[in-house]
Amino acid sequence: MRPVDHPGAVAESPAPVGASPARHAFTALGLAAGPVVALGFTRFAYALLLPVMHERLHWSYAQAGGMNTANALGYIIGAATAAVWARRLGNRAAFLWGLAVSALSLCATAATANFPALLALRFVGGFTTAVAFVVGSVLASRVATGAGRGRAALPVAIYMAGVGAGVVISGLVVPAALSAGQDAGWRLGWLLMGLASVAALLPAWLGARAVAEPTGPHAALLTAGQVRRLAPTLAWYVLFGAGYVSYMTFAVALLRSQGLGSSIVAVFFVVLGAASAVATLTVWGHLAGRLRGGHAPALVAALVFLGVLPVLIMTPGPAAALLSAVVFGASFMAGPTAATVIARRMLPAHGWTAGIALLTVAFSLGQAVGPLLSGLLSDSQGGIARGLWLSAGLLVLAAVAALFQREHSPS
């Protein structure tokens, strides 16, 4: 499990520290097109399409959750092999090819109602978006290499804010597609997101080309000691992934079952995405870089837990939905931000890709199990709310696990 060097590797050639903060921000904005596609479209937009697909295609909630499980399984394999693809193709090529295939899988999802085919497409989309997201996180981490903690964390936060932007876009596009397309509205929704993903390749390419390819040694895997030191964060990320994605998968279905109309549901999704983008940029980019050890991950899990509660304990209605959207949205994408910052801070530069990949595998394991368990509980007596209580419990456990993380030197 020791680092393996590229043949003929020379000294590390990081991105220039002297570049202006504005240039760093523009580079990170281009890279942020990756999370727009990888998570905003490929993963989270499914929550908007799930109720209609559940009804039109006569699925059980377990089948609906299984779609996200297939996506998460692909994500696990993609994350586990991201370092390999980055070594073989280079960071830029792995990032861009991952996004290109993701865009094609979204377009293809519109072309079939066959359950096994849709499972396969969700799996492929999960695989390619994981590669793109992990490698894109590494590129974002390299934008301000050598800068202080706060300045170095800001490009990561800008990158992660792309998820919120993707959620906002899907919250505007999908309801319109469902309304315009009638029975075939879910197909139109997938197609429009696929075409938007194709358009996102240009800014992603511009961002990626502005970051220097690393020329030094790259670890294929972390050492056993490095894994042990990150163990609390790995445990936190499994529990956090299971908890938050269960909410993201079934929250819209819960609101629909509570009698909220499509317009309120669309507003809920847009507010959630906007809160995510704004908070990630204005709060978490600075906070995650300053909190020590596992304090940032613990705070994130606690706030996401509070964001789940309004739709479970308050009187059903727009107020509960929007409060949940604001609190949950403002904190859920701080999880990947905090994880990336921890990897960057506690691992040597040649281990960043392997470290972020390992953390993403842990995250994906939780995301694979969470929706399936939540869907099974939602099919039982108690309905969707019972499944979301599982989400809340897992987030509490995640916050506790994170507190065991201690600060470690990259060496």
Side-chain angles (χ1 to χ4, degrees):
M1 299 181 69
R2 295 186 177 279
V4 179
D5 294 354
H6 278 303
V10 296
E12 179 84 15
S13 176
V17 179
S20 69
R23 182 177 176 185
H24 289 161
F26 278 116
T27 298
L29 277 174
L31 294 173
V36 168
V37 176
L39 295 179
F41 293 167
T42 303
R43 178 171 291 275
F44 297 143
Y46 175 63
L48 286 169
L49 292 156
L50 183 151
V52 176
M53 295 179 76
H54 173 262
E55 177 184 345
R56 296 284 190 271
L57 304 179
H58 309 291
W59 290 348
S60 66
Y61 282 118
Q63 285 179 300
M67 281 289 166
N68 254 12
T69 296
N71 186 259
L73 288 173
Y75 208 86
I76 291 170
I77 299 173
T81 58
V84 175
W85 292 110
R87 285 165 57 84
R88 182 168 297 178
L89 302 175
N91 284 319
R92 296 172 190 157
F95 176 63
L96 294 170
W97 274 111
L99 291 181
V101 178
S102 299
L104 292 176
S105 71
L106 287 171
C107 292
T109 302
T112 181
N114 180 267
F115 186 77
L118 288 170
L119 279 175
L121 288 168
R122 292 292 286 165
F123 176 87
V124 170
F127 176 86
T128 54
T129 54
V131 173
F133 185 71
V134 169
V135 178
S137 298
V138 175
L139 290 170
S141 296
R142 289 182 51 79
V143 169
T145 298
R149 281 189 175 188
R151 182 175 164 187
L154 186 57
V156 176
I158 294 173
Y159 175 78
M160 296 299 175
V163 178
V167 172
V168 170
I169 293 169
S170 59
L172 296 171
V173 169
V174 173
L178 293 175
S179 176
Q182 301 300 320
D183 288 347
W186 65 271
R187 294 180 185 270
L188 181 59
W190 286 117
L191 178 60
L192 291 176
M193 286 186 294
L195 295 176
S197 298
V198 173
L201 290 173
L202 177 59
W205 175 75
L206 292 173
R209 69 192 292 268
V211 183
E213 283 280 3
T215 55
H218 293 276
L221 296 170
L222 298 185
T223 66
Q226 289 169 336
V227 173
R228 283 195 299 271
R229 290 174 182 176
L230 288 176
T233 296
L234 290 167
W236 159 75
Y237 222 11
V238 172
L239 294 165
F240 180 78
Y244 102 95
V245 83
S246 297
Y247 174 92
M248 284 297 294
T249 301
F250 292 107
V252 170
L254 175 68
L255 298 180
R256 293 284 295 269
S257 72
Q258 291 175 343
L260 273 67
S262 57
S263 58
I264 294 297
V265 170
V267 170
F268 162 84
F269 217 71
V270 169
V271 168
L272 188 151
S276 172
V278 171
T280 302
L281 285 172
T282 61
V283 177
W284 292 109
H286 303 283
L287 196 58
R290 285 167 171 76
L291 292 178
R292 307 288 291 180
H295 291 169
L299 178 61
V300 171
L303 290 175
V304 174
F305 162 74
L306 293 177
V308 173
L309 290 183
V311 296
L312 295 175
I313 65 175
M314 291 178 62
T315 301
L322 293 180
L323 177 60
S324 182
V326 170
V327 179
F328 183 95
S331 48
F332 83 103
M333 275 315 296
T337 302
T340 302
V341 169
I342 282 178
R344 188 187 190 282
R345 195 164 69 209
M346 297 191 188
L347 297 173
H350 65 255
W352 288 355
T353 302
I356 292 170
L358 180 62
L359 286 167
T360 305
V361 169
F363 193 37
S364 304
L365 286 171
Q367 291 181 98
V369 175
L372 185 59
L373 293 178
S374 186
L376 290 170
L377 287 174
S378 297
D379 282 326
S380 65
Q381 188 174 5
I384 303 172
R386 186 177 180 185
L388 290 185
W389 274 112
L390 171 67
S391 172
L394 291 170
L395 290 166
V396 172
L397 293 175
V400 173
L403 292 175
F404 288 91
Q405 179 66 61
R406 298 290 178 262
E407 193 80 11
H408 294 288
S409 167
S411 60

